[in-house]
Amino acid sequence: MHDSVRNGFNAFSEPLESREHMMYLDVKSLVSTGVGNLLDADDPENFGSNPVPLPDTFTLDWSDRNTGAPADRAAVEDEYRKIKFSGTANAPTSQKRAIAQLLVSDASIDGLITTKLDSFETSLRGRPPFTGFDDWPAPGQLGLLSMAWAMGPIFRFPNFEAAAADGDWQTMARECRMTEAGNSGVVPRNVRNALLFTLAGWVASQGGDSTDLVYDPTVPLDANLRSGTLPVPLNLLIGVQTALETLGFDPHGLDGIAGPGTRGALTAFQTANGLTPTPGVSGIDDVPEETVAALAAQLDARGVARFP
């Protein structure tokens, strides 16, 4: 992977997963730690019942939260089972922290992240749709690794994989969406992944330095869109939001989510430009082509870069 991707991965992932120093039960009832690092190889046929932690669990420097004493293997196994069967998958983080007795250091978490990231890269590069991974623009590499981080590197998205094999970045941006039903926490990752694949297409079209991440993971998503260094991605809802804000129609945030502010700004723009209002949009597919074309024309008139 490009150095910019390796160096930016933690900054990109932590706002999406948070960094936790204890074992906790995630929304899928899997034991995790660190920045969304699974410690649990649950059996899909007996979901929620796996009493045995992954070997990675025992490579970490677990210690007692009160005394700081190193935890032995038996203590780690006991902690894992306590968390596994705690029923706290949907509990607030404060409750998950309250029941955890063992903690792990930042250095140990960082080592685990690096090991898993390298392992995921190796797995992805071995899959036919992604054999060109080494030559992908940096935003595309980060987007793919982000998907693997959330689902594992053997995920199956046929339309996405076919687009990846063809180097069709816009289709990849559309088809990378992970299921959000029952897991609203994946929404921000979906928004960012789609943006990353779009930016990969933009970088590829420019013919410049493909190793530059372009997207700055150390600043918030909306700051990236307002930075002036990225084109407005009109194939995405967050790009429509950005265009509306740029043109003076405030969507009340750039988050890629079709809330009341976005709907109000969109219908105000449509009404002001003699277009058919669409007050019920829930995603980019609900935004009429004529509206996108009008946004594009007005951005062009102002000299604001857009893509596509």
Side-chain angles (χ1 to χ4, degrees):
M1 76 187 76
H2 302 307
D3 288 343
S4 63
V5 176
R6 181 179 297 281
N7 295 336
F9 187 82
N10 277 2
F12 175 81
S13 294
E14 284 192 27
L16 301 174
E17 299 281 356
S18 80
R19 174 177 284 245
E20 299 296 343
H21 297 83
M22 77 285 187
M23 296 186 204
Y24 65 91
L25 206 61
D26 71 11
V27 294
K28 296 181 180 179
S29 294
L30 299 174
V31 181
S32 301
T33 194
V35 185
N37 297 98
L38 287 178
L39 303 177
D40 189 344
D42 219 340
D43 180 353
E45 295 183 2
N46 298 285
F47 193 74
S49 63
N50 177 38
V52 182
L54 287 169
D56 283 345
T57 308
F58 303 105
T59 67
L60 305 177
D61 57 358
W62 298 104
S63 61
D64 186 278
R65 67 186 301 170
N66 295 322
T67 67
D72 61 19
R73 187 181 183 94
V76 173
E77 290 177 341
D78 287 346
E79 180 84 344
Y80 172 91
R81 285 189 287 269
K82 177 180 72 175
I83 300 301
K84 181 64 178 177
F85 303 113
S86 65
T88 55
N90 297 305
T93 301
S94 58
Q95 182 178 337
K96 296 181 182 185
R97 290 174 179 160
I99 65 172
Q101 186 62 29
L102 302 183
L103 301 178
V104 68
S105 70
D106 279 315
S108 203
I109 291 173
D110 289 341
L112 180 58
I113 291 171
T114 298
T115 298
K116 287 204 168 186
L117 189 62
D118 289 342
S119 172
F120 286 173
E121 179 188 16
T122 299
S123 294
L124 290 166
R125 289 169 62 206
R127 297 183 58 188
F130 312 128
T131 53
F133 179 85
D134 289 350
D135 297 321
W136 280 18
Q141 289 188 351
L142 180 57
L144 186 64
L145 289 166
S146 172
M147 291 178 70
W149 199 258
M151 298 184 290
I154 314 299
F155 65 85
R156 299 297 178 189
F157 278 32
N159 294 339
F160 174 84
E161 293 168 42
D166 292 338
D168 182 351
W169 297 106
Q170 288 191 53
T171 299
M172 292 167 70
R174 185 174 65 250
E175 297 292 341
C176 70
R177 184 174 178 175
M178 295 173 279
T179 301
E180 297 170 357
N183 186 10
S184 60
V186 80
V187 173
R189 188 180 292 277
N190 277 339
V191 171
R192 286 159 178 77
N193 289 350
L195 175 60
L196 288 170
F197 290 122
T198 299
L199 292 176
W202 174 62
V203 170
S205 73
Q206 301 298 300
D209 180 9
S210 65
T211 68
D212 184 4
L213 190 52
V214 182
Y215 180 93
D216 184 352
T218 66
V219 303
L221 175 66
D222 57 355
N224 271 280
L225 273 300
R226 294 182 179 118
S227 67
T229 62
L230 306 180
V232 178
L234 286 177
N235 60 316
L236 306 175
L237 186 62
I238 197 167
V240 170
Q241 291 175 327
T242 304
L244 289 168
E245 183 180 90
T246 300
L247 298 172
F249 298 86
D250 186 6
H252 300 285
L254 307 182
D255 57 6
I257 300 171
T262 298
R263 296 189 187 102
L266 182 63
T267 55
F269 173 82
Q270 291 168 326
T271 300
N273 288 275
L275 302 170
T276 301
T278 53
V281 297
S282 60
I284 188 62
D285 291 340
D286 299 327
V287 182
E289 290 185 9
E290 63 177 1
T291 297
V292 175
L295 290 168
Q298 293 191 30
L299 290 177
D300 290 346
R302 294 191 180 201
V304 177
R306 62 178 175 87
F307 182 82

